[in-house]
Amino acid sequence: MRLRTTLAAATGVLALSAAVAPLAHADDHGTTTINRVVVNDGQPVVIGNSPTSIPFSVTFSDTTGTDGLIGYVDLWHASPHPKTQPGGSLLGDWENVDCHPVDATTVTCDGTVPVEPQEDVLRNYLADDWNVAVNAGSSTVTSYSTVQVKREAKLQAGVVPTAKPGKYKLRGSLTRADWESGASQDYGNRPVKLQFRKEGGTKYSTVDTFTTNDAGLVTTTVKPTEGGSYRWSFAGNASTGAATSTDLYFDGV
């Protein structure tokens, strides 16, 4: 409870579960050293509009052994402007961590941080670096490391014939999650690549780069001369995850 009360002060947000969150140590244990913390396998966290969970792993040692000890993480982001823009907190599921010993004094605890985008009151401006808070044994660190938290992007593709034989108009639509409304939001003025993979090939090559319009749309005309697949690709950025469309297959001339 000590850790989560601290987070509440930093973020301006306190989930109901914080009232029953335990200290991660027993009074009769010794000094705890946090050895390693990994969130989401070391990758940025990409959150859409649907419930999800973020995996974590905490490895720590205690001088008197680790029986009865648990370790978990919470994620939090300070309020950019306390009076008008609240921060955010996502609390680890400490009741369901799986702890397994590494040796007599070291244990690794694996668990998840559940995310309900609308219930957790995620704000779009919180797509940013979040602090990783760790509670393990007798050690409490409110800002052990950081992890990128991004809004999920989606890229749809379509094709329509043109009046000219052999030519086709390819269309793309780029959107990203709006955490506040639970809907998708057009993502305009962003670079997307048109890529092509030859039939039987394993790699895509970039044909050209285009910019979506204000409505998140992009179009171009192609005249396939060999069999293969086109797709749209968005590389992502600091606030938004990468996205790739489904393949558009052409059998060539």
Side-chain angles (χ1 to χ4, degrees):
M1 184 172 170
R2 177 182 64 247
L3 172 62
R4 293 183 172 185
T5 302
T6 302
L7 299 189
T11 65
V13 176
L14 179 61
L16 293 178
S17 60
V20 295
L23 294 176
H25 69 285
D27 292 338
D28 58 350
H29 279 271
T31 301
T32 301
T33 301
I34 300 173
N35 303 319
R36 187 168 183 261
V37 177
V38 179
V39 176
N40 201 43
D41 297 322
Q43 300 300 311
V45 174
V46 179
I47 299 174
N49 290 321
S50 300
T52 187
S53 61
I54 305 165
F56 66 78
S57 178
V58 179
T59 300
F60 61 96
S61 302
D62 192 275
T63 54
T64 60
T66 58
D67 287 347
L69 300 185
I70 65 170
Y72 61 89
V73 307
D74 296 323
L75 307 181
W76 64 279
H77 192 292
S79 170
H81 302 286
K83 292 185 178 180
T84 58
Q85 293 182 313
S89 63
L90 298 171
L91 304 183
D93 182 6
W94 56 267
E95 293 181 298
N96 292 297
V97 293
D98 177 22
C99 297
H100 43 92
V102 176
D103 55 40
T105 60
T106 305
V107 66
T108 295
C109 293
D110 299 318
T112 61
V113 178
V115 182
E116 296 271 0
Q118 281 73 60
E119 290 186 18
D120 291 321
V121 199
L122 286 180
R123 307 291 186 179
N124 292 329
Y125 58 77
L126 295 177
D128 193 12
D129 289 342
W130 282 51
N131 294 284
V132 178
V134 184
N135 204 342
S138 62
S139 182
T140 297
V141 182
T142 57
S143 187
Y144 181 88
S145 60
T146 61
V147 63
Q148 284 184 298
V149 176
K150 300 183 178 186
R151 296 161 66 180
E152 181 185 49
K154 292 184 178 181
L155 190 49
Q156 296 181 325
V159 58
V160 293
T162 68
K164 297 181 179 180
K167 288 190 176 183
Y168 299 87
K169 180 176 288 187
L170 306 185
R171 294 176 176 172
S173 173
L174 181 64
T175 60
R176 63 175 175 171
D178 183 343
W179 292 334
E180 298 172 23
S181 70
S184 293
Q185 186 180 69
D186 297 337
Y187 202 23
N189 305 302
R190 302 295 161 178
V192 295
K193 294 179 179 180
L194 178 65
Q195 299 179 323
F196 181 76
R197 182 186 66 188
K198 294 181 180 180
E199 188 170 10
T202 59
K203 294 182 178 180
Y204 278 88
S205 59
T206 297
V207 177
D208 206 345
T209 300
F210 301 85
T211 301
T212 59
N213 63 17
D214 290 343
L217 303 176
V218 61
T219 62
T220 191
T221 300
V222 297
K223 185 177 182 180
T225 59
E226 58 182 332
S229 299
Y230 287 95
R231 72 178 186 183
W232 297 104
S233 178
F234 171 63
N237 52 39
S239 66
T240 308
T244 302
S245 74
T246 56
D247 292 348
L248 298 172
Y249 175 74
F250 294 88
D251 58 9
V253 180

